[in-house]
């Protein structure tokens, strides 16, 4: 299982890619660009969850398998994001001619989306083992940019004019998933600070900050 997990993830991604292309339920409700957007974000979410889950819950079952799956999840997310961007460029924006008539303000969500896509391209290109060896300590620094990509994607999604409004229940599920990731990241950051700066040990302000951040997201999304 441990060795096969990446192949399984790639296989699953290819099947989902084809299923989204055909557009059967639940994808029939969405535009082709949105189908791949959601798959990209879902796989990126799983990629981002790996570190906090395995650090905050060190005894989580299948820990090594989860850690091994991360690379395949990230690369799959990149391919979904690329398909989304190309499909949106052709279908929603009408190619270069369509973009030419947009004002700078109207282009902003796509500029931000393109910046996020560039980061995902850099991650995917530097994922083979020989690139990890070649980049050494810079590899980890470079791959931290995935968090910036996550923030840019959030801004892109907020600003972009959408063709379909999601049902409120789905919005709530997305909100809860994001909240869970933020809480785990805060707990992880809290541990990192306590190790590095002893005076912060046993301080309880990070959980409070998490609740405040969640409230803020909740307030902004409704
Ligand atoms: C060149 C880069 C990009 C362009 C031109 C672009 C374009 C678009 C367009 C036109 C939409 C509206 C789609 C619709 O409602 O039918 C959209 C929505 C969206 N995009 Fe992008 N995008 C880009 C990059 C990205 C990236 C890298 C991601 C994330 C991995 C992403 C995630 C999303 C999401 C989640 C939505 C919302 C889908 C919905 O609510 O229906 N986009 N984008």
């Amino acid at each position: 299982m441990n060795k096969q997990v990446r192949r399984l993830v790639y296989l699953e991604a290819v099947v989902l890619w084809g299923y989204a292309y055909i557009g059967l339920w639940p994808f029939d409700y969405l535009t082709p660009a949105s189908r791949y957007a959601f798959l990209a974000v879902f796989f990126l979410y799983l990629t981002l969850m790996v570190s906090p889950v395995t650090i905050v819950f060190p005894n989580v079952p299948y820990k090594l398998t989860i850690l091994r799956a991360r690379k395949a999840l990230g690369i799959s997310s990149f391919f979904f994001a690329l398909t989304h961007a190309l499909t949106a460029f052709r279908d929603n924006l009408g190619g270069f001619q369509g973009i030419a008539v947009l004002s700078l303000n109207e282009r902003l969500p796509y500029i931000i989306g393109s910046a996020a896509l560039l980061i995902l391209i850099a991650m995917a290109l530097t994922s083979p083992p020989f690139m990890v060896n070649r980049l050494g300590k810079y590899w980890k620094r470079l791959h931290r940019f995935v968090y910036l990509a996550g923030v840019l994607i959030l801004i892109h999604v907020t600003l972009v004019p959408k063709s379909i409004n999601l049902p409120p229940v789905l919005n709530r599920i997305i909100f809860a998933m994001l909240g869970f990731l933020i809480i785990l990241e805060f707990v992880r950051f809290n541990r990192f600070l306590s190790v590095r700066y002893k005076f912060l040990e046993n301080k309880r302000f990070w959980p409070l900050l998490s609740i405040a951040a969640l409230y803020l997201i909740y307030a902004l999304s409704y």
Side-chain angles (χ1 to χ4, degrees):
M1 179 66 175
N2 204 359
K3 286 199 176 141
Q4 299 292 328
V5 66
R6 282 188 188 156
R7 276 189 206 159
L8 274 175
V9 172
Y10 289 132
L11 183 68
E12 195 186 336
V14 170
V15 171
L16 280 172
W17 196 97
Y19 193 77
Y21 183 81
I22 300 167
L24 297 177
W25 184 91
F27 291 116
D28 52 347
Y29 173 75
L30 301 167
T31 61
S34 295
R35 295 171 200 164
Y36 292 108
F38 284 116
L39 286 171
V41 168
F42 182 62
F43 273 71
L44 186 67
Y45 178 77
L46 294 180
T47 314
L48 289 177
M49 281 296 270
V50 169
S51 279
V53 162
T54 50
I55 290 172
V56 176
F57 308 107
N59 298 322
V60 63
Y62 303 108
K63 186 175 166 181
L64 280 181
T65 312
I66 296 173
L67 282 167
R68 224 181 131 70
R70 177 168 42 191
K71 183 172 162 179
L73 289 169
I75 291 179
S76 306
S77 167
F78 157 69
F79 277 109
F80 285 129
L82 188 64
T83 314
H84 159 69
L86 294 175
T87 314
F89 179 73
R90 188 193 59 192
D91 297 352
N92 300 55
L93 300 175
F96 289 110
Q97 283 166 334
I99 288 184
V101 297
L102 296 179
S103 68
L104 187 62
N105 265 356
E106 287 168 327
R107 284 181 199 167
L108 191 65
Y110 311 113
I111 296 171
I112 294 171
S114 307
L117 187 63
L118 279 179
I119 295 177
L120 296 182
I121 291 174
M123 309 272 114
L125 288 179
T126 54
S127 61
F130 75 91
M131 284 304 281
V132 182
N133 291 337
R134 187 176 276 195
L135 289 171
K137 64 176 180 182
Y138 296 108
W139 186 87
K140 215 169 183 181
R141 284 185 199 169
L142 180 72
H143 277 245
R144 285 205 184 113
F145 275 88
V146 72
Y147 295 102
L148 176 62
V151 174
L152 291 174
I153 291 164
L154 271 181
I155 301 173
H156 167 70
V157 178
T158 312
L159 295 182
V160 83
K162 283 169 232 36
S163 45
I164 290 163
N165 282 332
L166 290 181
V169 63
L170 206 59
N171 271 329
R172 281 181 190 272
I173 292 172
I174 293 170
F175 164 72
M177 285 168 67
L178 193 62
F180 188 50
L181 175 66
I182 291 175
I183 288 181
L184 289 186
E185 284 293 356
F186 268 129
V187 175
R188 182 183 165 204
F189 191 52
N190 187 20
R191 289 206 186 157
F192 162 79
L193 283 180
S194 316
V195 171
R196 190 165 267 210
Y197 307 103
K198 283 275 174 236
F199 68 93
L200 281 173
E201 220 163 25
N202 295 325
K203 289 276 188 294
R204 294 281 175 262
F205 65 91
W206 287 112
L208 286 176
L209 201 57
S210 318
I211 293 166
L214 277 179
Y215 178 76
L216 194 68
I217 294 175
Y218 188 83
L220 286 176
S221 52
Y222 288 94

